[in-house]
Amino acid sequence: MNKSRKVKLDKSKGKLLAPSDNSPMDDATDEIRSQRGASEASFVMQPKKVQYENTYKMDPDSRFKSYEIEGTASNILKQHIGDKSYDPELCRSECQIIAAKISEALKAKNYKRYKHVVVVSIGSIKERPGVYLGSRCLWNDKTDSFATVRYQNTSLYAIAMIYGLYYE
């Protein structure tokens, strides 16, 4: 370390030390000071993290309204399926697309502090399947809700299940 540089470093800390003649203690002290200065500089450069206080809000401002969601989901199902015939490969991709569209519509309604889950199933009517769909959830009856929408044409049926869960 350059001695003139050492004097400048020490001046910035408010201490002025006279450089000594090549003593072994001086080299060790210079090393410790340079490490300390580097660690202090890196500590100062880190941005402060903002920590927000908890709201402790247990009830939503507006509830998850299943009747509004049923209308929106029904329109999306009619729009995407219409009079299409059943094709397993096409229906697999349509399920994903329809679920994404319903999810986007829910985000646009801006239910604050709600998380939502959308499940869409499409099947063939010609094969006469006996389908029973069930679900189990752990939730709060006061804040959480769900909606189920069914659409059917001549060759297929579609069921959309939408869950809205309040995040406390």
Side-chain angles (χ1 to χ4, degrees):
M1 185 173 193
N2 190 356
K3 297 208 184 230
S4 63
R5 196 174 200 184
K6 177 183 161 193
V7 171
K8 288 181 183 177
L9 180 67
D10 291 333
K11 280 183 185 177
S12 68
K13 291 183 179 178
K15 301 174 188 173
L16 180 60
L17 299 174
S20 61
D21 297 322
N22 296 330
S23 65
M25 286 296 280
D26 192 35
D27 292 335
T29 309
D30 286 344
E31 177 111 7
I32 291 169
R33 285 186 185 141
S34 66
Q35 289 175 356
R36 192 166 136 203
S39 66
E40 286 175 2
S42 65
F43 179 72
V44 173
M45 300 298 279
Q46 294 175 353
K48 292 182 180 179
K49 292 183 180 178
V50 178
Q51 185 174 3
Y52 296 103
E53 292 185 18
N54 294 332
T55 60
Y56 300 107
K57 192 170 189 173
M58 302 301 283
D59 295 322
D61 292 333
S62 63
R63 289 204 43 168
F64 195 77
K65 299 172 184 155
S66 61
Y67 60 88
E68 287 180 359
I69 295 160
E70 285 174 358
T72 304
S74 179
N75 290 337
I76 291 171
L77 284 173
K78 286 176 189 174
Q79 185 180 36
H80 276 275
I81 294 175
D83 290 331
K84 291 182 182 176
S85 62
Y86 181 75
D87 178 27
E89 295 301 318
L90 177 68
C91 290
R92 179 183 301 154
S93 63
E94 280 296 315
C95 283
Q96 294 173 346
I97 292 169
I98 292 169
K101 290 280 187 180
I102 292 172
S103 182
E104 289 296 321
L106 286 174
K107 288 178 187 175
K109 290 192 182 289
N110 199 18
Y111 288 109
K112 294 189 185 227
R113 301 184 79 166
Y114 270 94
K115 295 188 182 277
H116 60 271
V117 178
V118 180
V119 180
V120 177
S121 299
I122 298 176
S124 173
I125 291 180
K126 292 179 183 176
E127 296 172 7
R128 291 278 185 186
V131 177
Y132 295 98
L133 298 172
S135 62
R136 295 178 82 180
C137 301
L138 178 64
W139 69 16
N140 185 351
D141 290 337
K142 295 177 185 174
T143 57
D144 303 338
S145 185
F146 73 97
T148 303
V149 179
R150 187 169 194 273
Y151 179 78
Q152 182 176 340
N153 66 14
T154 58
S155 68
L156 59 84
Y157 67 90
I159 297 172
M161 296 180 289
I162 302 117
Y163 302 95
L165 308 168
Y166 183 68
Y167 184 67
E168 295 176 345

